[in-house]
Amino acid sequence: MRLKVEPRRQVSKPLQYATPPLSVLGTVVAAFVLFAIMGYDPLRALYDLFVAPLGNVQGLSELALKASPLVMIGVGLAAGFRANVWNIGAEGQLMMGAIAGGGVALAFYGREGWWILPLMSLAAVAGGMAWAAVPAFLKTRFGVSEILVSLMLTYVAEQFLSYLVLGPWKDPEGMNFPQSRMFSDSALLPVLFDGTRVHAGVLVSLLVVVVAWVVMSRSILGFEIRTVGLAPAAARYAGFSQTRVVWLTLLATGGLAGLAGLFEVAGPIGQLIPKITPGYGFTAIIVAFLGRLHPLGILLAGLVMALSYIGADQAQVDMGLPNAATGLVQAMLLFFLLASDFLVRYRVRLVRPAATSEPAPAQKATA
Amino acid sequence: MEGNLSQTTLTAGHTAGTDERLDLRGITKRFPGVVANADVSLAIRPGEIHALLGENGAGKSTLVKIIYGILQPDEGEVRWNGTPMIIPNPHAARALGIGMVFQHFSLFEAMTVLENVAIGLDSPEKPSKLAERIRGVSAAYGLPLDPLRDVHTLSVGERQRIEIVRCLLLEPKLLIMDEPTSVLTPQEVGRLFETLRKLAAEGCSILYISHKLAEIKALCDRATILRGGRVVGGCDPKVETASSMASLMLGAQIKPLARRATTALGPSRLVVGGLDLPADTPHGIGLRGISLDVRAGEILGIAGVAGNGQNELFLALSGERTVETPGTIMIDNTRVGHLGAERRRALGLCAVPEERNGHAAVPEFSLVDNAVLSGHRREKLLAGGLIRAGRALDFATRIIKSFDVRTPGPGAAASSLSGGNLQKFIVGREILQKPGVLVVSQPTWGVDAGAASAIHAALLSLTSEGSAIVVISQDLDELLAISDRIAVINVGVLSAARPTASVSLEELGLLMGGMHEADVAKAASPEREMADAP
Ligand SMILES: Nc1ncnc2c1ncn2[C@@H]1O[C@H](COP(=O)(O)OP(=O)(O)OP(=O)(O)O)[C@@H](O)[C@H]1O
Ligand SMILES: [Mg+2]
């Protein structure tokens, strides 16, 4: 007897949209069991994780703050995923964006001027794009897998950032801590609501959602991307260039990730440090899939994922739940999502070598 | 049900009795907006070759999908050897001994023939043994197939052989064939029929769907006719003529193709000179020294056995593959060899690929989106990079209207259309763009007799407006009916085009078999068999 996996001939459409909520549900149930086994009060843990942060302004503002980079990167990644371009190195592109934008901030340290932030943003976009251009070039020119290249470049970016903040860009008055100077005021994002950390970057990410929505659903560019992903031969027939789509989606994602990286260092952090994000570039992959690769879905998914970050903090403070709970919850979510997506498309059968499953005689056929 | 449809033949499709192998009773299947099958009853005896006839969208594929367990009927009963059955999936159908060759193939492009066959098997088998069996079956039934080749290198005709061989390996009791011959050459059809007759003589029942009525007449013992999802009658194909069956199917007489008077031809619109194109896959066919010249108002037919470079020639003409020397291909005196598909389309060259799903159309897209796919430029469906939804909808609606595409509406996904209706949509989409040069591959693959003559008429009327048309087809009758000149492609080499009036089927057959032009005249002999010329 053995297991056999085979594609279903008919894939249910409604089910495809039901899997994200279903996998959230699955995660909640699994987390409940897990916390109970670990000896925590599971209800309280779940409350801390998923409900408590929504109850106050502080929690909501942090939610917006953390969702913003996830959504921005997720939207870019989703465009690529639709075209079968698997950029999983957004984390590295994010860091290069932060380095490039942060570099501008440090170069104009002590200067004032409205032009500093826009210049930083441009540099950040360029930095992220440059990092994404490497896999784009290697893929379109030599057919190298963008998955490997983009992932490995993430570790290069990480080392580069460490080198900078430990070496040339280290704050001279920083008592040897691995960090740059604090950016001057002109290089910091304006805060939108007093008393919170919500900054202008949140608005930018909303704008990105709207623009991406229009581009993907109404423009010929989005049409091109979707066609290349669904039917490469039809794309060639229509005259759409796969090479162009690979470049465009990688550059767009790189640029958005770079900008998201800058918004972290020019927003809540205020300087360059070795670890800018808790892995937003990777979490955004989950966000993109959880949001069904649709900009609006990604907005929702980004909020859910942000909740898991904040909730874990809350649970740690409140009941000593280990901080690894964040990773756990996120990983379970991805697991359930992939598993249920897989089961929507494929089915698993037990195959007995001799007797195969019989068609059913139906005396009172009710089919 | 007019004319020659007698009471006795009406009941031929369904006689009570327990000796039926398959007995369908009152099958009904609804889709959103359409009833694909309404109260369909049908019985097939062991060893019988039963034809299922009907125009595009009549519900033939739906009915056989129900028998094969892909779809479940909303109402009705399926009896197998007298026992009512629920057939929940194809696996169960195969367990009963039902095999099916699909209208659209379900093959994995990146895998070999052997792997594709192995995937479909219900009990695993050692690859070496399986390869042996494949070779055995394909030799026994005259369907040459190399188990180790990658599927993406195969032509449509060759792919179909995989599907047929895959079924034959199961030694089926009932073999369902949904338009199996659309892409086979007359010789291949002849051999397939021998196979089928042999199977039937061994007691296997065959349910056979085809729009080629001459074939039905040659092969089938009984026929059931569907129209709009209902059984409208049955007949004995042996006593009917092709045209009487056509009128039974359509409920109307088809107009014979009005061959236009040979008009004075205009200037050359498509000129290809010395086109060489290396094969892009290990088993692909390279093009060697292709030259052709099509003038305004002219149709050039290109005949050939599947897999002799037709795909490559199509891609080279459509611009999906380009060459470095611009001058080898000229559209209206513009050098375009180096230009891609979109630039060539702007210059007036439209194209209809042979494969509908995934090449000519994106199955997941709506008809509107599929209209945008190739029409966005010539139909001005864009404004500032955005798709003009209203215009796109108009264009799709126009195609549906002018080419009588049966669908609930332009918002329907391409994959929900019946094969022939999607074909009508695609051909219509290109013709309505009023191309100066049109390259079509298999223009009437899978469309019913009525629609085929409508498509032929549309092609002819396009030439009378001064377009130049290249038709690549394996259907010699089609080529003889509409082309002004015919050339034959064989292993990537194109013979010189000859006026249609001066070539015979025999000569074409010899050219297709690879004989040189000079020798053909000498060698053409009457006893050379051309299977199934009606
Ligand atoms: N999955 C589906 N969803 C919606 N409608 C469908 C679907 N499959 C078939 N139909 C509709 O059911 C009807 C019958 O389709 P079917 O494919 O059975 O026709 P057919 O007789 O095989 O035609 P053809 O000769 O063109 O292949 C058509 O109107 C078609 O649009
Ligand atoms: Mg069909």
Side-chain angles (χ1 to χ4, degrees):
Chain A
M1 214 185 294
R2 65 191 186 110
L3 285 174
K4 187 175 173 184
V5 172
E6 56 187 37
R8 291 178 196 272
R9 288 215 185 258
Q10 271 179 325
V11 176
S12 153
K13 251 266 139 67
L15 222 50
Q16 277 177 297
Y17 288 94
T19 51
L22 279 180
S23 38
V24 171
L25 196 73
T27 306
V28 168
V29 173
F32 182 93
V33 174
L34 197 76
F35 295 149
I37 294 174
M38 288 165 68
Y40 295 96
D41 174 358
L43 277 179
R44 185 160 153 208
L46 285 179
Y47 177 83
D48 279 350
L49 269 172
F50 292 110
V51 185
L54 302 176
N56 53 58
V57 175
Q58 192 60 34
L60 286 175
S61 69
E62 286 296 298
L63 195 66
L65 194 73
K66 293 212 154 55
S68 157
L70 291 176
V71 170
M72 239 158 90
I73 304 170
V75 162
L77 286 176
F81 293 166
R82 275 194 187 278
N84 288 334
V85 176
W86 306 104
N87 173 11
I88 58 169
E91 183 76 3
Q93 293 143 26
L94 177 151
M95 286 188 257
M96 290 313 277
I99 290 170
V104 171
L106 295 176
F108 295 102
Y109 180 71
R111 299 272 290 275
E112 299 295 318
W114 60 266
W115 45 271
I116 293 182
L117 257 182
L119 196 64
M120 286 164 63
S121 303
L122 281 181
V125 169
M129 280 186 174
W131 219 232
V134 181
F137 175 75
L138 291 176
K139 182 182 172 73
T140 52
R141 190 62 189 271
F142 302 110
V144 181
S145 160
E146 73 281 19
I147 301 179
L148 287 179
V149 178
S150 62
L151 179 64
M152 293 193 300
L153 281 176
T154 296
Y155 302 110
V156 178
E158 199 174 296
Q159 295 304 317
F160 185 49
L161 177 59
S162 298
Y163 161 75
L164 287 176
V165 293
L166 283 165
W169 289 1
K170 189 162 67 180
D171 184 357
E173 290 121 48
M175 322 197 359
N176 239 357
F177 277 112
Q179 58 191 33
S180 74
R181 291 175 191 274
M182 291 299 292
F183 297 169
S184 29
D185 282 350
S186 286
L188 290 175
L189 286 167
V191 166
L192 295 182
F193 305 104
D194 282 340
T196 71
R197 303 197 293 166
V198 177
H199 55 70
V202 173
L203 295 182
V204 175
S205 64
L206 286 177
L207 188 69
V208 166
V209 167
V210 174
V211 170
W213 187 17
V214 172
V215 168
M216 288 308 289
S217 64
R218 297 264 175 275
S219 80
I220 190 72
L221 183 59
F223 189 86
E224 247 180 277
I225 291 172
R226 285 184 288 141
T227 309
V228 164
L230 286 171
R236 272 191 297 279
Y237 165 65
F240 302 151
S241 148
Q242 182 147 16
T243 304
R244 200 173 95 99
V245 166
V246 170
W247 272 102
L248 275 173
T249 51
L250 271 166
L251 289 185
T253 314
L256 285 170
L259 198 58
L262 176 74
F263 289 171
E264 288 305 300
V265 295
I269 303 176
Q271 67 191 137
L272 283 174
I273 53 175
K275 192 157 173 52
I276 304 170
T277 80
Y280 288 150
F282 293 118
T283 309
I285 299 173
I286 310 180
V287 168
F289 282 111
L290 193 61
R292 288 287 88 137
L293 306 183
H294 189 288
L296 289 187
I298 290 169
L299 182 58
L300 284 178
L303 290 168
V304 170
M305 280 314 221
L307 189 60
S308 74
Y309 281 116
I310 304 161
D313 285 347
Q314 176 102 16
Q316 189 179 19
V317 174
D318 184 39
M319 51 194 292
L321 203 65
N323 199 255
T326 315
L328 213 67
V329 166
Q330 292 183 352
M332 283 196 292
L333 197 52
L334 183 63
F335 170 79
F336 279 113
L337 188 69
L338 292 179
S340 50
D341 274 353
F342 182 80
L343 290 176
V344 167
R345 277 167 215 283
Y346 296 86
R347 57 179 189 172
V348 182
R349 277 198 306 132
L350 262 186
V351 189
R352 284 173 225 98
T356 41
S357 79
E358 292 299 322
Q363 282 312 331
K364 287 177 192 157
T366 49
Chain B
M1 273 168 282
E2 33 288 285
N4 44 6
L5 195 63
S6 68
Q7 263 325 103
T8 49
T9 52
L10 244 178
T11 52
H14 188 264
T15 41
T18 49
D19 56 342
E20 311 291 1
R21 176 156 286 153
L22 177 76
D23 188 1
L24 303 178
R25 300 188 173 182
I27 299 285
T28 296
K29 177 74 189 175
R30 300 180 193 89
F31 288 114
V34 271
V35 182
N37 289 150
D39 194 22
V40 174
S41 296
L42 173 77
I44 306 174
R45 288 188 290 264
E48 176 185 349
I49 306 184
H50 194 116
L52 193 54
L53 302 180
E55 56 186 329
N56 294 130
K60 306 178 295 295
S61 296
T62 305
L63 189 67
V64 294
K65 281 179 188 162
I66 289 172
I67 301 173
Y68 195 56
I70 296 167
L71 295 173
Q72 296 303 315
D74 297 328
E75 285 159 31
E77 191 177 81
V78 179
R79 288 175 177 245
W80 181 252
N81 293 328
T83 320
M85 288 280 172
I86 290 173
I87 303 176
N89 51 47
H91 174 67
R94 287 192 295 269
L96 289 173
I98 302 175
M100 176 155 166
V101 174
F102 287 90
Q103 185 173 12
H104 299 293
F105 320 137
S106 43
L107 298 170
F108 294 95
E109 301 258 323
M111 295 190 194
T112 62
V113 172
L114 180 64
E115 288 163 335
N116 266 286
V117 172
I119 276 185
L121 288 184
D122 295 307
S123 46
E125 218 172 297
K126 253 179 66 188
S128 57
K129 220 183 103 210
L130 185 58
E132 231 11 81
R133 286 221 295 144
I134 293 175
R135 288 201 185 92
V137 168
S138 64
Y141 292 113
L143 304 162
L145 202 56
D146 175 0
L148 300 181
R149 273 184 63 172
D150 285 341
V151 167
H152 67 89
T153 66
L154 300 180
S155 73
V156 178
E158 292 165 309
R159 289 174 194 210
Q160 187 157 45
R161 283 182 212 149
I162 306 177
E163 299 269 3
I164 296 174
V165 167
R166 174 144 84 180
C167 279
L168 295 184
L169 286 173
L170 298 169
E171 295 167 8
K173 301 268 184 309
L174 168 65
L175 183 59
I176 302 169
M177 308 203 96
D178 195 347
E179 301 189 29
T181 59
S182 319
V183 289
L184 303 184
T185 60
Q187 285 89 342
E188 287 172 317
V189 171
R191 261 185 307 214
L192 175 67
F193 283 8
E194 276 164 34
T195 309
L196 295 180
R197 290 198 190 99
K198 195 152 122 198
L199 277 169
E202 291 164 8
C204 178
S205 309
I206 293 165
L207 183 54
Y208 190 86
I209 300 177
S210 174
H211 291 294
K212 298 188 174 171
L213 299 170
E215 287 179 0
I216 302 276
K217 197 170 156 46
L219 180 71
C220 299
D221 308 318
R222 283 200 299 173
T224 297
I225 299 170
L226 292 181
R227 194 191 306 151
R230 296 189 171 273
V231 177
V232 293
C235 67
D236 178 353
K238 301 274 188 250
V239 305
E240 301 287 335
T241 65
S243 75
S244 71
M245 281 191 283
S247 43
L248 285 176
M249 271 167 58
L250 304 173
Q253 209 73 36
I254 356 172
K255 282 183 243 111
L257 194 60
R259 188 96 184 98
R260 69 200 185 291
T262 345
T263 45
L265 297 178
S268 296
R269 301 204 70 169
L270 175 68
V271 180
V272 178
L275 169 70
D276 290 315
L277 193 68
D280 60 350
T281 56
H283 293 279
I285 298 283
L287 300 178
R288 284 176 292 149
I290 302 262
S291 295
L292 55 84
D293 178 344
V294 199
R295 296 166 64 180
E298 187 182 35
I299 296 183
L300 172 68
I302 293 181
V305 178
N308 268 289
Q310 289 96 329
N311 288 343
E312 289 77 5
L313 178 58
F314 175 86
L315 297 177
L317 293 179
S318 73
E320 289 162 72
R321 287 190 66 192
T322 53
V323 288
E324 268 153 31
T325 41
T328 40
I329 303 176
M330 316 259 281
I331 299 172
D332 291 331
N333 292 323
T334 309
R335 300 149 161 254
V336 299
H338 58 304
L339 299 181
E342 186 156 17
R343 304 274 299 278
R344 290 191 199 180
R345 208 170 270 129
L347 289 167
L349 182 141
C350 290
V352 179
E354 146 178 30
E355 176 65 59
R356 319 185 245 266
N357 289 306
H359 192 181
V362 183
E364 294 88 345
F365 279 0
S366 68
L367 293 181
V368 177
D369 281 353
N370 273 301
V372 173
L373 185 71
S374 80
H376 59 90
R377 183 125 188 191
R378 295 183 67 80
E379 291 297 311
K380 306 197 169 48
L381 304 181
L382 302 181
L386 293 186
I387 296 168
R388 297 160 81 173
R391 281 187 73 103
L393 181 66
D394 279 353
F395 181 44
T397 313
R398 250 189 320 128
I399 302 169
I400 291 170
K401 282 231 176 67
S402 330
F403 284 80
D404 187 28
V405 178
R406 309 283 167 82
T407 168
S415 59
S416 78
L417 262 64
S418 81
N421 277 303
L422 183 55
Q423 182 69 13
K424 289 192 265 176
F425 182 85
I426 292 163
V427 172
R429 176 184 72 191
E430 304 307 315
I431 289 182
L432 285 189
Q433 293 181 43
K434 302 214 177 314
V437 178
L438 180 66
V439 180
V440 272
S441 192
Q442 313 287 7
T444 55
W445 179 12
V447 306
D448 63 47
S453 74
I455 287 178
H456 288 158
L459 289 175
L460 290 178
S461 92
L462 196 62
T463 58
S464 60
E465 287 163 33
S467 299
I469 301 181
V470 177
V471 177
I472 304 172
S473 175
Q474 281 148 57
D475 185 340
L476 290 180
D477 298 328
E478 170 171 81
L479 290 179
L480 291 171
I482 62 171
S483 329
D484 297 286
R485 289 182 301 142
I486 296 188
V488 174
I489 189 166
N490 181 46
V491 216
V493 178
L494 190 69
S495 74
R498 310 246 311 268
T500 306
S502 75
V503 288
S504 65
L505 268 178
E506 286 75 17
E507 285 173 293
L508 283 178
L510 290 175
L511 285 171
M512 286 163 70
M515 199 169 275
H516 285 295
E517 291 155 56
D519 306 329
V520 168
K522 289 181 241 154
S525 57
E527 67 268 27
R528 181 83 186 178
E529 79 161 63
M530 286 298 301
D532 259 78

